[in-house]
Amino acid sequence: MNRFLKMIAALLSVAAFVSLPDSSFGREVSSVDSISITAVLARDGSAAVTEVWNVEIYEGTEWYLVRNNLGDIEIKDFSVIGDGTDFINEGEWDIDRGIGGKAGRCGIVHKNDGVELCWGLGSYGHHSFTASYTMTNAVKSLNDYDKLHLQMVSPGINPSPDEVTICIKAPVGLSDANTRIWGFGFEGTSAFSEDGSVVFQSTEPFSRRS
């Protein structure tokens, strides 16, 4: 790639995650307290993505991230850490198990239009999950720019997250001298950081329209 990243279009809006539905479990309600996503770009055009989810969950058996419309992008090296414990990667994920059978395990469901990155809840209550994976061919070379256009958080995510942060890092420092950035579909900011990264930060909890 003879020109590295000159343009980033990062969306906090469309079709990347589908959570479990929100409902009451006694007086307790499921919630997504925060999502923090970091994508580290490499010169071969790949992106190493790390997502940290702090959640309160009181139903279902698993959590999953949806990655659709991948084109020539391949998802590799998927791993999950849940509450400080490394999960076992089973490869192809078996959805037809109870909460106990999925505990401490993760895997991928392959579909015609993409993949689901899945892991077991293990138990109800508060959890911190860290999901990591590599997206090959994430950066595309155009005639005049290199482009990153990733859809990071889905519309109508349920429960809606209270806080979302997305950070994009590259082998070269990103600034307004060499990069154009856009972030939309949410209430928040899109800005260059002093360390040469780009940060998209929500300033209000997501709504159904986010």
Side-chain angles (χ1 to χ4, degrees):
M1 187 173 296
N2 53 20
R3 301 174 313 281
F4 196 68
L5 188 71
K6 290 185 179 178
M7 180 173 68
I8 295 179
L11 310 184
L12 299 185
S13 59
V14 185
F17 172 79
V18 176
S19 80
L20 300 169
D22 191 350
S23 70
S24 296
F25 184 82
R27 297 181 62 184
E28 298 169 306
V29 178
S30 300
S31 65
V32 176
D33 300 328
S34 65
I35 308 169
S36 178
I37 302 174
T38 301
V40 180
L41 308 181
R43 292 188 179 276
D44 64 358
S46 63
V49 181
T50 301
E51 306 195 16
V52 180
W53 292 77
N54 289 300
V55 301
E56 292 272 352
I57 195 70
Y58 295 103
E59 65 172 342
T61 60
E62 65 183 51
W63 204 260
Y64 58 100
L65 309 178
V66 176
R67 294 290 177 264
N68 288 334
N69 303 314
L70 292 176
D72 63 350
I73 294 175
E74 181 182 357
I75 303 291
K76 301 172 58 176
D77 306 322
F78 176 51
S79 65
V80 174
I81 299 174
D83 301 320
T85 300
D86 292 329
F87 282 21
I88 298 171
N89 189 324
E90 298 183 324
E92 194 68 22
W93 183 250
D94 177 10
I95 65 172
D96 297 320
R97 290 175 290 177
I99 192 170
K102 296 177 180 178
R105 300 175 179 275
C106 64
I108 300 179
V109 174
H110 292 87
K111 296 189 171 183
N112 291 335
D113 58 347
V115 300
E116 294 176 354
L117 307 178
C118 309
W119 61 88
L121 293 174
S123 63
Y124 294 142
H126 179 268
H127 292 287
S128 179
F129 295 118
T130 300
S132 301
Y133 53 94
T134 298
M135 303 181 75
T136 66
N137 302 312
V139 179
K140 309 298 185 184
S141 288
L142 307 178
N143 291 331
D144 52 354
Y145 293 103
D146 293 326
K147 178 184 74 171
L148 177 70
H149 184 186
L150 293 180
Q151 302 172 340
M152 305 300 286
V153 180
S154 68
I157 178 174
N158 188 16
S160 300
D162 293 332
E163 180 180 345
V164 176
T165 304
I166 294 178
C167 179
I168 310 293
K169 299 182 178 181
V172 297
L174 304 176
S175 70
D176 57 7
N178 63 6
T179 306
R180 301 293 179 266
I181 62 174
W182 293 268
F184 49 90
F186 69 108
E187 295 294 331
T189 60
S190 306
F192 297 101
S193 294
E194 292 183 357
D195 64 359
S197 63
V198 174
V199 176
F200 302 87
Q201 175 71 59
S202 66
T203 54
E204 297 181 10
F206 272 36
S207 70
R208 285 287 186 176
R209 294 186 299 273
S210 297

